[in-house]
Amino acid sequence: MAAGTNEAVARIDRDELIELTLDICNIDSQGPTEAPVADRVATWLETEGFGVRRIGLLADRYNVLGKLAGSGGGYSLIFNSHMDTAVRERDVWTHRDPGNPEYHSAWIDDDELVGEGVVNDKGPMAAFLIAAKAVKAAGVPLKGDLLVSAVVGETSHEPSDGPPGEIVESQDLGARFLVTHGGIADYALIAEGTGFSIVSVEAGLAWFKITWLSDAPAFYTPYLPDRTSLSESPNMIVRAAAAIEALERWAAEYQAKYSYQSACGPFVPKAQIGAIRSGHSTSLNLTPQVCSLYLGAFTPPGHDPLALRDEIARALAEAGLPASEIDLYLFRRGYEARGADRLIEAVTDAHRTQFGAEPPPPNPATNSMWRDINIFNEVGIPAITYGPRSERHSFRRSLKIESLHQAACVYARTICDICMQEKPRGLE
């Protein structure tokens, strides 16, 4: 096995890795516009001799699944990354510079590859595609199937207030659709940025719409009563502003209350207000009688979102700012991987061989967010996340070329390890 593995690693071409990364990262795939990247990835896989399926609910947003069939009797492994990038040019109320080229293209800068797509998440995708090609070219006698997948919608928006069909977006179109339509294996490795740490737990998501409704008239501004307090204001924007302080206190208490030590490191769930809706900027002469805050919370595995809703309601009531309505409009459960020991051991061994050291402990943030690892763990496929990530990610979207090359080498070693292992009879 060692000879075949070393041959595969030796066939990983750094220049080809750079070329493929820049190729797919210079196809702008700000969600929901992944189709051109999906077509490029599918074409690349077909050219390299992999079996290819295009799996999707929508013609312009589909997932790509490549397959290198094993001889039979071994463990199968699926790699997964997402094609969509998070920053859209129209996100003018979220980002100061949503049109910045760093969000929509990629380039070489000295020893780095720069671009949002490089780090999240097409760089790691290119690494496992090149690793898969190297394993195939080396003729490694895999027993189990190797699958490689590129999915849509990991950073997708979700429907909130509009009628059905107003926003045809959801994470359900991506990894979840792939998995329920054949994208399964014995193990899953989600190639995303972890700083080469092995992450086996991810948070769930709970999104709430918190609404205040006024019984007072929609006062024309000259008839406004004299000011009293924020919490007594007939203007629901002002009432909600007072509630923000209470929700911020609650978020700090929530984080402290539900943090715990997971199998792979500290889990620290956080929450914040992400949006507010009320009034009309084109008509400022009436008191808004309705205001909604939108609060998103990352939740521990197994956490009850209805109990979380009740916690939020109590916090607001205790602050004298009870909401008229608190609606849960999105929930996705978080998971800790079960039965992933074989995969964790394989990645650990591959990392040791490549780096001459143990994988570093994860940054708590990488254990405490939502990623597609949850989709696989939800359906019983043991899944972990592992990939390169720059320590400067928060202010520069870039990866060292060497780190991407090292990732490809670790991925190739992991493929050979898992897919060359005999699967005991009775587990097929």
Side-chain angles (χ1 to χ4, degrees), residues 16 31 59 83 105 192 198 209 216 295 343 346 362 384 388 408 417:
E16 185 180 20
M83 296 178 286
S105 59
E192 286 223 52
I198 296 174
K209 178 184 178 182
L295 184 147
L343 178 58
I384 65 168
D417 190 336

Side-chain angles (χ1 to χ4, degrees), residues 278-293:
S278 184
H280 287 285
S281 62
T282 57
S283 178
L284 301 181
N285 292 327
L286 289 176
T287 305
Q289 294 179 296
V290 180
C291 184
S292 293
L293 297 178

Side-chain angles (χ1 to χ4, degrees), residues 183-205:
I184 62 172
D186 293 307
Y187 298 99
L189 195 159
I190 287 67
E192 286 223 52
T194 66
F196 290 118
S197 301
I198 296 174
V199 174
S200 58
V201 59
E202 296 281 352
L205 288 174

Side-chain angles (χ1 to χ4, degrees), residues 1-12 131-142 409 411-417 420:
M1 185 177 81
T5 301
N6 291 336
E7 171 66 15
V9 170
R11 287 178 175 268
I12 292 173
K133 176 182 177 178
V135 170
K136 181 176 181 293
V140 178
L142 303 182
C409 294
Y411 294 154
R413 294 182 189 279
T414 302
I415 292 167
C416 295
D417 190 336
M420 292 176 73

Side-chain angles (χ1 to χ4, degrees), residues 264-279:
C264 68
F267 180 94
V268 184
K270 298 186 179 183
Q272 71 171 334
I273 296 164
I276 181 170
R277 287 185 177 178
S278 184

